[in-house]
């Protein structure tokens, strides 16, 4: 829902300012149409229905995985593809994964999104409309900015969207923004965002040469500078930073590489999430044994570490699998 358009339409009709807030509060609670907004005059409901679309995105297709993960492909008004995912956990948690860009200009070798053409940054409304889509069929309580794109390259719009999430029932503490370590955005995140939004860093290799090979962005913003910024975030916010580490067989999963990683990370500041690789063509995923051995090294170094539960692989909805040819 483009609230700026809504406000302009309401103003043009001489409606009082509180009308926009009324409409937004219905939308944020998952209203499926203006006809449900019973505290608006009937005539106005009809007029808005024809002048302000409920969403800035249209749904192109939606798939549900065997584990009940849902992946939705949307299209923007100007025809760009956007994907978002709803993850349903057994304990009742409902987590959504949203995209910040259509495609991604960065070229991490293990990620499918990096291989598709970069289209553009999404607007704040296009981001929040992904969340609202899922909110319309069930309550949602967590949001990760881990879909297509690099959130820190679209800082303002990502923040606009993140700041609206509590209206949908997703608190800041349950919102996580993930970055490859794009420093200009990360610095702004640390300096400007007072809300307790969580931070995740895609690290994937402690060794600089290897990291540059699989994540070319490392040449531009070297890991030590990025980690220093994460430490600054921790000092200011007292919130641990999640480190994401995708396990690639024979590439970054050796026990020595776990030691290198442990040496880089202050156990007070970081928490590691090992991610089983979801096939995108280039690599093989690490074996369960290799993941366990890697985890063991971090455990011994007293660095909190978990292995990410893989969701939605059978519909290519898992981490790193979001890409469309559209
Ligand atoms: N660009 C941001 C936001 C995307 S988050 C970032 O990279 O942090 C998506 C997460 O999934 C990142 O940690 C990314 O490195 C990881 N990922 C990418 N490709 C993957 C794959 N094939 N298997 C598992 N995880 C992958």
């Amino acid at each position: 829902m483009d609230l700026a358009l809504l406000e302009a339409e309401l103003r043009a009709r001489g409606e009082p300012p509180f009308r926009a807030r009324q409409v937004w509060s219905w939308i944020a609670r998952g209203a499926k149409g203006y006809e449900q907004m019973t505290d608006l005059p009937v005539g106005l409901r009809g007029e808005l229905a024809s002048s302000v679309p409920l969403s800035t995105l249209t749904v192109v297709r939606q798939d549900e995985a065997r584990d009940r993960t849902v992946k939705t492909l949307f299209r923007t008004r100007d025809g760009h593809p956007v994907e978002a995912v709803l993850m349903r956990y057994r304990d009742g948690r409902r987590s959504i994964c949203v995209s910040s860009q259509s495609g991604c200009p960065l070229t991490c070798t293990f990620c499918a999104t990096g291989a598709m053409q970069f289209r553009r940054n999404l607007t704040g409304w296009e981001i929040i409309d992904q969340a609202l889509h899922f909110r319309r069929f069930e309550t949602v309580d967590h949001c990760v900015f881990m879909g297509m794109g690099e959130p820190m390259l679209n800082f303002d719009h990502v923040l606009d969207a993140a700041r609206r999430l509590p209206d949908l029932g997703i608190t800041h503490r349950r919102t996580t923004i993930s970055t490859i370590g794009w420093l200009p955005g990360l610095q702004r995140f640390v300096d400007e965002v007072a809300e307790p939004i969580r931070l995740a860093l895609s690290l994937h290799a402690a060794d600089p040469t290897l990291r540059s090979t699989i994540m070319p962005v490392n040449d531009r913003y070297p890991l030590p500078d990025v980690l220093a910024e994460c430490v600054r975030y921790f000092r200011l916010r007292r919130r641990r930073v999640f480190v994401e580490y995708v396990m690639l067989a024979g590439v970054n999963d050796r026990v020595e590489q776990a030691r290198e990683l442990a040496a880089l990370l202050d156990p007070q500041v970081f928490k590691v999430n090992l991610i089983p690789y979801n096939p995108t063509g280039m690599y093989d995923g690490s074996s369960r044994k290799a993941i366990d051995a890697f985890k063991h090294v971090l455990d011994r170094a007293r660095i909190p570490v978990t292995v990410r539960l893989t969701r939605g692989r059978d519909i290519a909805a898992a981490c790193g699998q979001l890409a469309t040819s559209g």
Side-chain angles (χ1 to χ4, degrees):
M1 149 93 27
D2 181 340
L3 273 200
L5 174 65
L6 174 71
E7 281 165 9
E9 290 291 329
L10 289 170
R11 243 191 332 271
R13 288 175 171 74
E15 290 290 332
F18 67 82
R19 289 277 183 238
R21 283 196 300 278
Q22 270 178 320
V23 173
W24 171 248
S25 98
W26 281 102
I27 294 284
R29 282 178 288 141
K32 292 188 171 75
Y34 287 100
E35 68 285 354
Q36 289 177 295
M37 304 181 191
T38 45
D39 52 1
L40 294 187
V42 178
L44 180 62
R45 284 184 237 164
E47 287 172 34
L48 290 177
S50 54
S51 58
V52 186
L54 231 46
S55 177
T56 56
L57 302 173
T58 49
V59 175
V60 178
R61 74 175 276 181
Q62 183 156 288
D63 296 293
E64 185 164 332
R66 279 188 294 275
D67 63 16
R68 299 190 63 236
T69 296
V70 179
K71 178 169 86 164
T72 307
L73 168 65
F74 305 90
R75 215 166 276 291
T76 62
R77 287 277 155 66
D78 53 346
H80 298 303
V82 176
E83 287 183 316
V85 178
L86 167 69
M87 288 157 288
R88 296 158 159 155
Y89 295 93
R90 283 216 194 90
D91 62 4
R93 212 153 33 100
R94 295 286 180 269
S95 187
I96 54 175
C97 174
V98 297
S99 294
S100 55
Q101 302 181 309
S102 175
C104 183
L106 304 173
T107 51
C108 303
T109 56
F110 45 82
C111 178
T113 307
M116 70 176 271
Q117 192 195 349
F118 173 63
R119 303 301 185 87
R120 64 166 172 79
N121 279 341
L122 299 181
T123 66
W125 300 119
E126 288 165 341
I127 300 171
I128 207 79
D129 278 335
Q130 298 166 54
L132 283 170
H133 169 72
F134 295 120
R135 179 69 188 83
R136 280 186 202 111
F137 52 92
E138 60 196 55
T139 54
V140 285
D141 44 34
H142 286 72
C143 180
V144 294
F145 285 77
M146 296 187 186
M148 291 177 166
E150 167 50 39
M152 296 302 180
L153 280 169
N154 188 17
F155 184 87
D156 291 305
H157 293 157
V158 163
L159 254 290
D160 283 348
R163 288 186 164 131
R164 293 258 175 204
L165 287 174
D167 296 342
L168 280 65
I170 301 171
T171 63
H172 293 315
R173 287 174 204 283
R174 290 171 165 186
T175 300
T176 304
I177 298 181
S178 178
T179 179
I180 42 81
W182 189 264
L183 264 187
L186 181 54
Q187 279 160 347
R188 286 191 60 197
F189 182 75
V190 178
D191 288 327
E192 297 173 23
V193 180
E195 293 88 346
I197 296 172
R198 289 180 178 272
L199 176 64
L201 171 68
S202 292
L203 199 155
H204 308 316
D207 174 70
T209 311
L210 176 59
R211 190 163 192 267
S212 290
T213 307
I214 62 175
M215 303 176 72
V217 70
N218 190 60
D219 288 331
R220 184 152 176 180
Y221 299 117
L223 191 55
D225 300 348
V226 173
L227 289 175
E229 209 48 36
C230 293
V231 170
R232 205 163 69 83
Y233 167 87
F234 176 80
R235 295 224 171 97
L236 286 168
R237 306 265 174 275
R238 291 284 137 194
R239 305 188 65 74
R240 273 215 169 91
V241 177
F242 294 107
V243 163
E244 295 160 276
Y245 196 100
V246 58
M247 299 294 293
L248 307 171
V251 177
N252 66 351
D253 67 345
R254 288 196 309 276
V255 163
E256 310 85 81
Q257 290 166 315
R259 288 198 199 100
E260 279 173 22
L261 179 64
L264 276 186
L265 303 178
D266 178 343
Q268 304 298 319
V269 177
F270 297 97
K271 202 155 125 179
V272 176
N273 200 210
L274 300 176
I275 314 177
Y277 171 64
N278 297 307
T280 57
M282 276 279 273
Y283 301 96
D284 291 319
S286 304
S287 64
R288 186 69 226 189
K289 202 169 145 229
I291 296 177
D292 287 344
F294 198 95
K295 179 175 182 294
H296 184 67
V297 173
L298 297 173
D299 282 334
R300 300 243 332 233
R302 303 203 180 285
I303 297 171
V305 52
T306 50
V307 179
R308 184 177 288 177
L309 219 60
T310 296
R311 314 286 301 181
R313 241 191 216 174
D314 54 313
I315 55 164
C319 308
Q321 291 187 315
L322 300 189
T324 80
S325 46

